[in-house]
Amino acid sequence: MISAPSGAGKTSLVNHVLHRVNNVCASVSHTTRSPRPGEIDGVNYYFVGLTEFERMDQENAFLESAKVHGNLYGTSRLWVENALKTGRNVILEIDWQGAQQIRDIFTDSCSIFILPPSKETLRQRLLGRGQDAPEVIEQRLAAAQEEMSHWREADFVLINDDFDITCQKLTNLLDKRSGQAFDDTTNPKLQSLITTLLP
Ligand code: 5GP
């Protein structure tokens, strides 16, 4: 599992490492959120209506599901089981609620938390194109802090201060799972970073 607040660079990192690591694929989640410009159904997400999502949920079609920022997200049980049957490892890009559910099911799962290098970088990334009102940015920052408050639950934490280096660390983690993996919990910067990122 890979979790991160929005603005930490998780999706770009995952897309990058997928091309570098053998035998790994990324699960495509179902969501009730509307597609953003450029997003493709079946590639970024399976975009479904609330009724369809609830029907699937009742039929036990999700390995895990959660409400995130007001929308529902779920990981398809069938999709993941089929991928695992072919011998591949599966990356789930999910929030802390989903990660908790997956830990209960797969005791051999591994979770990685990605943190931004500073509060200012996070704010700048959340500002995006600068089209959002300040209160919207503050809401996103608060949501990011809520997500980040769960960083300790992960097996590994990576601080994404340099994209290429973080990519390499993530690649090593996925390649070796733990053996020669880097783990930023030994990074002396981590404790002071956490005190600035979280209230
Ligand atoms: P976004 O809508 O910006 O793509 O994702 C919003 C949040 O939902 C992110 O934190 C992402 O990790 C989380 N998310 C995406 N897919 C799933 C899923 O299938 N399950 C859970 N629990 N969270 C998900």
Side-chain angles (χ1 to χ4, degrees):
M1 284 107 60
I2 303 191
S3 302
S6 63
K10 172 183 57 166
T11 305
S12 312
L13 284 167
V14 170
N15 287 339
H16 214 79
V17 299
L18 274 177
H19 299 291
R20 295 174 163 200
V21 184
N22 290 327
N23 251 6
V24 166
C25 57
S27 164
V28 180
S29 297
H30 286 67
T31 183
T32 59
R33 159 166 91 58
S34 306
R36 296 189 184 118
E39 284 186 330
I40 300 167
D41 188 43
V43 175
N44 305 94
Y45 283 103
Y46 293 104
F47 296 99
V48 294
L50 183 60
T51 313
E52 170 73 354
F53 192 99
E54 285 175 343
R55 184 192 59 76
M56 291 181 73
D57 200 20
Q58 272 165 15
E59 289 173 358
N60 207 19
F62 297 126
L63 268 179
E64 64 73 37
S65 63
K67 192 176 220 177
V68 188
H69 314 324
N71 295 302
L72 294 169
Y73 294 82
T75 300
S76 161
R77 185 182 300 278
L78 196 65
W79 200 104
V80 171
E81 283 175 356
N82 282 340
L84 291 175
K85 267 186 212 152
T86 64
R88 287 176 293 169
N89 280 312
V90 179
I91 297 178
L92 305 181
E93 276 183 66
I94 56 177
D95 83 322
W96 65 272
Q97 304 171 82
Q100 283 186 351
Q101 296 168 51
I102 295 292
R103 266 182 217 113
D104 289 342
I105 306 170
F106 296 97
T107 47
D108 60 343
S109 64
C110 171
S111 54
I112 301 165
F113 206 100
I114 296 169
L115 288 171
S118 70
K119 194 169 180 176
E120 191 43 38
T121 311
L122 182 68
R123 188 185 285 276
Q124 287 304 324
R125 289 183 188 163
L126 292 178
L127 278 169
R129 293 179 220 100
Q131 291 166 339
D132 294 307
E135 58 270 24
V136 174
I137 302 297
E138 289 311 315
Q139 277 167 12
R140 288 204 202 143
L141 206 51
Q145 280 176 336
E146 161 68 5
E147 180 70 33
M148 287 188 296
S149 70
H150 293 271
W151 70 274
R152 273 179 212 281
E153 294 159 26
D155 298 310
F156 297 95
V157 54
L158 298 179
I159 301 168
N160 186 16
D161 43 8
D162 179 293
F163 185 82
D164 290 336
I165 293 173
T166 312
C167 251
Q168 192 54 53
K169 289 179 176 182
L170 194 56
T171 304
N172 289 353
L173 267 173
L174 296 177
D175 259 346
K176 312 247 169 34
R177 187 59 187 273
S178 59
Q180 295 176 30
F182 294 84
D183 179 2
D184 279 353
T185 47
T186 55
N187 186 332
K189 280 194 312 195
L190 181 65
Q191 282 314 323
S192 58
L193 172 64
I194 289 296
T195 55
T196 63
L197 287 175
L198 297 172

